[in-house]
Amino acid sequence: MMTELFYFSGVLAFVVIFLVSVLAPTKGQTRIWLWSILKICFFGSLFYSWFTDNIVLKWILIEASTLFGALLISSSGTERSFHVGWKFLLINSYALGLAFLGIVILLFVSTPLDNLDFNSLKQGLVGQSGLLIETGILLTVYGYSGKLGLVPNHFWVGDTYAESPSQISSLIASFVPVSVVLAIRPLIQLEREINPHIINAANGILFIGVLTILYSTLILFSKEDIRRISAKVALFHSGMLTLFLWLDVSDDIFYFLLTTTVLVKLLVFLSMGILRMDAGKRNISQILENSSLSHKALYMYLLALLVAFVFPLSPVFVLDLKVIEIAIKQKLFLLFLFPIIGAIFFFISLNKVLPLVRLPNRNFDSGVYRILQTRMVFFWFSFLFTVFVGTYGLTYLLADYIWKR
């Protein structure tokens, strides 16, 4: 059931992003239908990668999204967005190049295969072990982690989300991480069977995931740009994905995690776009110089941050409860630190944005009123669906505690 919910949520999130970009585009956006075709190509390549077990085809589809993504980032038409698009293309292509090298090594070590499906590769590696297999898996996982935006290959994340239109940021942040995690998970599960050593891909990706979480939390102190604050939220959640990969959770929890990632990123960047367009500026210190601000836009952004971390009916809150449950059952008490760090991140971001409440309230500016009203409708629809998913996850994944007498 969670698998179907993930697929449905992915399609729904894309439809919301697509309709927002067509019905309520960024001010000054031109050639909307041309960019819309690229959005479809971007989503289509990643969506198809969710279903294929062919490890080479999956890599090709994820790499294709890099090209489409670079073009979409430059859709703003500014010199800055053009440079950021190149940065996105080069860093991601470099990382995926390492991943492809790892795949080639695994195919070389394996016995002759009938096809390139992962199950065939797994059977071809049965009974084998050694440095080449471990190196192949490590290179593949590390390469894919660059596409995920983890430290030390995270430098494209902040600029990409800061210089792209909010719909593009939402598209990349929602669908790239889940696609990459779907590609990584089988490899980590395979390595658990053939590499019992402490130096392995699972521990390695958890290590850089923790570094990513700490980096995004610490760097948040110096950020005043609401776009960059949103980028750090996305980076923090990408780091959290590695924890669940390391824990090797059940399929139900895993696909609920992917659903959560898609919906939370959608809310954060959709609300950020509304606040950014209403305020007319992106730096909080500059916004505070305004004579007024629409509190509707501000509260939507605050609500999105709340859902991304501590809202009781948020899917993120359900996952935090599952982490606590696993920590207690497996006596891994260090896991308690992850929900705590999430709460700390939330309060830092809240402290950054909350001073905007001091500005007098006003309605949306007449020049962008229709655009922001349309986006607001899509935000509330996405918010209600996210709360529904969180409520369903709470009653399904924690049913033993809720219905237990």
Side-chain angles (χ1 to χ4, degrees):
M1 183 62 185
M2 286 299 177
T3 306
E4 290 77 8
L5 179 63
F6 165 59
Y7 295 145
F8 177 77
S9 299
V11 173
L12 185 67
F14 174 72
V15 170
V16 169
I17 295 170
F18 184 82
L19 291 178
V20 166
S21 65
V22 173
L23 302 178
T26 301
K27 195 174 180 180
Q29 183 74 61
T30 58
R31 294 181 291 182
I32 293 174
W33 287 108
L34 173 63
W35 300 120
S36 296
I37 293 172
L38 276 176
K39 290 184 181 77
I40 293 173
C41 292
F42 177 88
F43 172 73
S45 62
L46 291 178
F47 187 68
Y48 186 51
S49 75
W50 298 355
F51 297 93
T52 181
D53 288 327
N54 186 310
I55 58 172
V56 175
L57 178 59
K58 188 183 289 287
W59 180 90
I60 292 172
L61 292 168
I62 294 175
E63 173 68 347
S65 73
T66 302
L67 174 60
F68 296 133
L71 294 172
L72 288 170
I73 291 167
S74 62
S75 64
S76 298
T78 64
E79 183 180 355
R80 176 66 176 163
S81 66
F82 180 76
H83 290 313
V84 171
W86 269 108
K87 186 177 185 178
F88 175 86
L89 180 64
L90 291 175
I91 294 179
N92 281 272
S93 296
Y94 154 75
L96 289 174
L98 292 179
F100 187 72
L101 178 60
I103 291 172
V104 169
I105 292 173
L106 291 175
L107 293 174
F108 173 77
V109 176
S110 171
T111 56
L113 305 177
D114 295 329
N115 54 61
L116 296 175
D117 287 353
F118 180 79
N119 286 332
S120 295
L121 175 65
K122 185 176 180 179
Q123 292 175 3
L125 296 175
V126 167
Q128 300 189 56
S129 62
L131 185 60
L132 267 181
I133 296 178
E134 295 170 12
T135 301
I137 294 177
L138 190 62
L139 278 173
T140 306
V141 172
Y142 177 73
Y144 273 130
S145 75
K147 181 71 174 178
L148 192 56
L150 301 181
V151 172
N153 298 309
H154 62 286
F155 297 104
W156 62 267
V157 175
D159 288 340
T160 295
Y161 298 152
E163 303 303 328
S164 306
S166 58
Q167 306 98 309
I168 306 303
S169 299
S170 181
L171 195 65
I172 295 173
S174 296
F175 297 109
V176 167
V178 297
S179 303
V180 172
V181 168
L182 281 167
I184 290 175
R185 189 187 187 214
L187 292 167
I188 290 179
Q189 291 175 331
L190 171 63
E191 192 184 36
R192 289 182 186 276
E193 300 176 15
I194 62 178
N195 180 16
H197 304 112
I198 191 171
I199 300 178
N200 55 40
N203 292 335
I205 198 170
L206 176 65
F207 176 71
I208 61 177
V210 170
L211 289 181
T212 302
I213 291 170
L214 295 176
Y215 167 81
S216 59
T217 304
L218 292 174
I219 205 70
L220 185 63
F221 282 102
S222 63
K223 299 302 177 185
E224 283 198 344
D225 184 340
I226 57 173
R227 285 182 174 272
R228 301 234 173 225
I229 291 173
S230 302
K232 295 302 172 284
V233 173
L235 194 61
F236 182 94
H237 282 284
S238 294
M240 287 295 293
L241 289 172
T242 65
L243 172 64
F244 290 88
L245 285 173
W246 182 78
L247 289 172
D248 194 22
V249 294
S250 66
D251 285 348
D252 280 340
I253 299 175
F254 178 72
Y255 281 100
F256 184 75
L257 169 70
L258 300 186
T259 304
T260 301
T261 301
V262 169
L263 295 177
V264 166
K265 303 286 184 62
L266 172 66
L267 283 178
V268 168
F269 284 99
L270 186 55
S271 62
M272 182 273 292
I274 295 172
L275 178 59
R276 164 70 180 86
M277 185 174 288
D278 177 75
K281 299 179 179 68
R282 48 197 282 182
N283 287 331
I284 292 175
S285 58
Q286 294 176 339
I287 297 174
L288 286 170
E289 295 173 358
N290 291 350
S291 58
S292 59
L293 181 71
S294 172
H295 283 188
K296 288 188 294 185
L298 175 59
Y299 291 147
M300 276 187 280
Y301 188 63
L302 290 173
L303 184 58
L305 291 177
L306 193 70
V307 170
F309 292 99
V310 295
F311 188 67
L313 292 180
S314 165
V316 175
F317 185 76
V318 177
L319 291 170
D320 284 344
L321 292 178
K322 291 303 294 185
V323 169
I324 293 171
E325 178 193 12
I326 294 170
I328 294 172
K329 286 185 175 180
Q330 300 185 14
K331 293 182 171 55
L332 298 171
F333 297 113
L334 283 176
L335 295 182
F336 282 107
L337 292 175
F338 288 92
I340 293 173
I341 295 174
I344 292 172
F345 188 100
F346 168 72
F347 285 113
I348 296 172
S349 58
L350 183 65
N351 185 61
K352 291 281 185 180
V353 180
L354 206 54
L356 297 177
V357 175
R358 297 200 302 263
L359 292 173
N361 183 32
R362 60 163 171 76
N363 206 345
F364 293 138
D365 184 79
S366 58
V368 292
Y369 182 84
R370 185 192 64 81
I371 292 175
L372 295 185
Q373 282 291 116
T374 303
R375 291 190 181 190
M376 190 172 68
V377 170
F378 283 109
F379 172 84
W380 286 115
F381 170 77
S382 303
F383 170 76
L384 291 175
F385 182 74
T386 303
V387 169
F388 164 77
V389 170
T391 305
Y392 174 74
L394 188 67
T395 56
Y396 183 83
L397 297 178
L398 298 169
D400 291 341
Y401 304 98
I402 294 176
W403 310 118
K404 187 176 181 179
R405 296 181 180 178

